[in-house]
Amino acid sequence: MKSTPDLCDEYPQLVRVLEPMLSNFGGREQFAGPIVTVKCFEDNSCVKDLVGTAGQGRVLVVDAGGSLRRACLGDMLAEQASVNGWAGIIMYGCIRDIDEIMATDIGVQALGVHPMKTDKKGVGEIDVPVTFGGVTFTPGDYLYADNNGVVVSERQLV
């Protein structure tokens, strides 16, 4: 995979760049794939449902409302996502169990870390456009992530 700076240099008109806000916590520092979205707030029921399905190299983009009060991803869900073939997870919110997640073969970027889990009320939306950090993430668009940042394109670039 090319680095996100290389993609920006090569395809400046085709990429949208996420504002610098996320940190890399996963075992994969570089990941890419078609986007699947979740919109939820302090309830990771939809995240749990999706990581239990075949990832097929896709990237789960979770708009958790930027909450810094609950973690929408922990080690068990990250492990399940890895086993099921998800390339990575972008979390506009917090995660927990980072030592275990760092040892898991999946890309994970998030706003931060919080030890409190979410409630499970079955609330959330799947495969809807979500916007944060100056970028709209549309299901089916292509995401590239590494230690330099996150870029999105309407089509696969490499």
Side-chain angles (χ1 to χ4, degrees), residues 24 26 34 38 40 42-45 47 57 64 69 73 81 91 98 100 104-105 110-111 114 128 134:
N24 215 340
V38 169
C40 59
E42 297 182 0
D43 180 342
N44 70 346
S45 301
V47 174
R69 302 183 309 189
L73 180 75
M91 180 65 66
I98 64 164
E100 293 83 356
T104 303
D105 184 24
L111 285 178
H114 196 287
V128 297

Side-chain angles (χ1 to χ4, degrees), residues 1-4 6-7 10-11 30 144 146 158:
M1 181 179 122
K2 290 188 178 190
S3 71
T4 56
D6 287 346
L7 292 172
E10 208 168 315
Y11 306 100
Q30 191 177 50
Y144 301 85
D146 61 20
V158 291

Side-chain angles (χ1 to χ4, degrees), residues 102-121:
M102 288 170 59
T104 303
D105 184 24
I106 190 164
V108 177
Q109 291 197 15
L111 285 178
V113 178
H114 196 287
M116 182 67 72
K117 68 181 180 178
T118 68
D119 294 325
K120 302 239 186 337
K121 299 177 182 174

Side-chain angles (χ1 to χ4, degrees), residues 1-156:
M1 181 179 122
K2 290 188 178 190
S3 71
T4 56
D6 287 346
L7 292 172
C8 289
D9 292 350
E10 208 168 315
Y11 306 100
Q13 306 302 330
L14 299 179
V15 297
R16 303 182 305 272
V17 180
L18 183 69
E19 295 169 0
M21 59 175 46
L22 303 178
S23 296
N24 215 340
F25 294 104
R28 287 186 200 167
E29 292 185 349
Q30 191 177 50
F31 57 98
I35 294 172
V36 175
T37 63
V38 169
K39 186 174 182 75
C40 59
F41 186 74
E42 297 182 0
D43 180 342
N44 70 346
S45 301
C46 291
V47 174
K48 181 179 181 188
D49 290 346
L50 280 171
V51 301
T53 66
Q56 301 169 324
R58 297 176 293 170
V59 176
L60 184 58
V61 176
V62 182
D63 179 354
S67 174
L68 300 177
R69 302 183 309 189
R70 302 281 179 143
C72 280
L73 180 75
D75 60 338
M76 292 187 294
L77 295 184
E79 176 64 27
Q80 191 172 20
S82 174
V83 166
N84 286 330
W86 289 86
I89 299 170
I90 297 291
M91 180 65 66
Y92 182 52
C94 288
I95 65 169
R96 66 188 203 160
D97 304 315
I98 64 164
D99 295 328
E100 293 83 356
I101 290 174
M102 288 170 59
T104 303
D105 184 24
I106 190 164
V108 177
Q109 291 197 15
L111 285 178
V113 178
H114 196 287
M116 182 67 72
K117 68 181 180 178
T118 68
D119 294 325
K120 302 239 186 337
K121 299 177 182 174
V123 177
E125 298 174 85
I126 295 172
D127 273 341
V128 297
V130 297
T131 302
F132 56 88
V135 172
T136 296
F137 299 85
T138 304
D141 282 359
Y142 216 81
L143 183 143
Y144 301 85
D146 61 20
N147 285 324
N148 296 292
V150 174
V151 300
V152 176
S153 176
E154 289 181 10
R155 63 179 176 84
Q156 185 174 354

